Amino acid sequence: MDGIFNVLKPPGMTSHDVIGFLRRVLNTKKIGHGGTLDPDAAGVLPVFAGSATRLLSYAMEGRKQYIAEFTLGEKRDTGDDSGAVVKTMPVPAFTDTKLQDVLHSFLGKQMQLPPMYSAVKINGQKLYQLARKGVEIEREARPIEIYRLELLDFQPAKAKFTVAVECSKGTYIRVLGEDIAIALGTCGTMSFLLRTQVGSYLLNEAHSLQEIAENPEICCAQPITAVDHLPKLILTANQASRITNGVKTTVNGTADGQYALLGPANEFLGIGKCIDAKVQAEKIFQRFQIKID
């Protein structure tokens, strides 16, 4: 089956566990997910099957949204409450206005250090594999962007607060919470995480693994949903035929940039790039053939 499944990942399963389950259900080896979700976290996990796996890199470019709770006063080795406590600190008194100000300071582009408990690979080894052996190595900070950081709940007596986050790919919410805690003069850990959106895939449209197993066809989204963030370029029959067969073609009036290419009947053909009004295919899903009567 070729398509994309907006999976409602339950807590307690790794993203790899979800892939293994769906590989058996769909009877396919060609399958992957659009962004790891922590084992204790729940929420949206897009899974790509068959030829749709060719769109994984495009889908992972989309923004992500989360609801996260952080508990102040203790730091854990994993960055969430599944790990061992490695540090405790008193929590200074502060108002919700102070908290709002600190949150606001984290908006925008910044550099973030990936945690040891992550799937980032260095010299062929995943960091979490080293972390489980008690090994910590030097990592390089990576560019991220926080588009929205909204305070949803603040419980001073319990030293907890909950936020809604909208961020770029590569953002670790656990690390964001630890950095916010430092800015508040203490330490902290993530105590809850729900991913509510990945690109065009929303929590209220996600399907449980049981629903997918019972009726995968109904739960399967079309490949074009992975590139909803790209502008659409509708081609004539002649343009579609030339571009999908590898010929750079002039499409007058088209601005420079990347596009989802559509045929004359709005069928999804693939991804193309336009430079100086000339469109060239980057990734083609179906070749357009002009019918000759």
Side-chain angles (χ1 to χ4, degrees):
M1 180 177 292
D2 299 322
I4 302 164
F5 296 87
N6 179 2
V7 179
L8 176 58
K9 188 191 92 63
M13 289 184 78
T14 66
S15 300
H16 184 73
D17 291 338
V18 172
I19 292 298
F21 178 89
L22 290 179
R23 180 179 285 120
R24 294 188 295 272
V25 166
L26 303 174
N27 192 27
T28 182
K29 293 182 179 179
K30 205 170 184 181
I31 190 168
H33 62 73
T36 301
L37 194 55
D38 293 338
D40 286 348
V44 173
L45 180 69
V47 174
F48 295 65
S51 64
T53 55
R54 299 174 62 206
L55 288 168
L56 268 169
S57 60
Y58 296 94
M60 292 176 72
E61 294 296 321
R63 296 184 180 190
K64 297 177 173 65
Q65 294 192 31
Y66 299 86
I67 293 175
E69 179 192 73
F70 302 111
T71 299
L72 302 172
E74 64 178 29
K75 175 181 172 68
R76 298 184 180 238
D77 55 2
T78 59
D80 58 26
D81 58 5
S82 69
V85 176
V86 294
K87 184 179 183 180
T88 59
M89 290 180 68
V91 179
F94 54 85
T95 63
D96 58 350
T97 301
K98 165 68 173 176
L99 179 53
Q100 296 267 22
D101 289 343
V102 169
L103 294 178
H104 188 264
S105 71
F106 280 88
L107 293 173
K109 296 180 179 180
Q110 56 202 270
M111 302 298 289
Q112 187 185 71
L113 191 68
M116 280 301 302
Y117 278 88
S118 68
V120 171
K121 281 187 177 180
I122 295 182
N123 297 326
Q125 276 197 296
K126 293 180 178 178
L127 289 180
Y128 71 79
Q129 294 173 331
L130 296 172
R132 288 171 180 170
K133 298 176 183 177
V135 177
E136 182 166 351
I137 63 174
E138 188 174 339
R139 291 96 68 202
E140 289 187 4
R142 300 181 174 197
I144 64 163
E145 187 166 2
I146 306 297
Y147 306 105
R148 182 169 68 97
L149 189 52
E150 178 185 351
L151 182 63
L152 300 180
D153 184 56
F154 177 38
Q155 301 179 57
K158 295 183 178 181
K160 294 178 183 288
F161 65 93
T162 304
V163 294
V165 186
E166 183 177 0
C167 58
S168 66
K169 69 171 185 176
T171 303
Y172 287 92
I173 306 301
R174 287 173 286 148
V175 176
L176 177 64
E178 290 175 340
D179 291 343
I180 292 170
I182 291 171
L184 290 168
T186 183
C187 59
T189 196
M190 186 176 73
S191 42
F192 172 82
L193 183 66
L194 176 68
R195 186 154 69 188
T196 59
Q197 182 174 351
V198 177
S200 62
Y201 306 106
L202 307 175
L203 182 64
N204 61 3
E205 298 172 355
H207 298 279
S208 69
L209 292 174
Q210 182 179 354
E211 288 172 332
I212 297 171
E214 289 175 353
N215 200 328
E217 289 80 8
I218 287 181
C219 299
C220 186
Q222 294 301 309
I224 193 173
T225 59
V227 290
D228 271 355
H229 59 289
L230 293 180
K232 310 296 188 292
L233 180 60
I234 300 175
L235 305 171
T236 66
N238 186 52
Q239 291 167 342
S241 178
R242 287 171 58 83
I243 291 169
T244 61
N245 283 283
V247 181
K248 187 185 293 186
T249 302
T250 298
V251 181
N252 290 322
T254 305
D256 288 359
Q258 196 175 51
Y259 292 86
L261 304 177
L262 305 181
N266 284 326
E267 64 271 43
F268 178 51
L269 302 176
I271 311 297
K273 190 170 186 178
C274 182
I275 300 176
D276 295 331
K278 290 183 172 59
V279 178
Q280 186 169 24
E282 286 189 335
K283 192 160 290 190
I284 294 302
F285 277 78
Q286 57 175 315
R287 299 188 187 280
F288 187 90
Q289 302 296 334
I290 296 177
K291 295 179 181 179
I292 301 177
D293 295 330

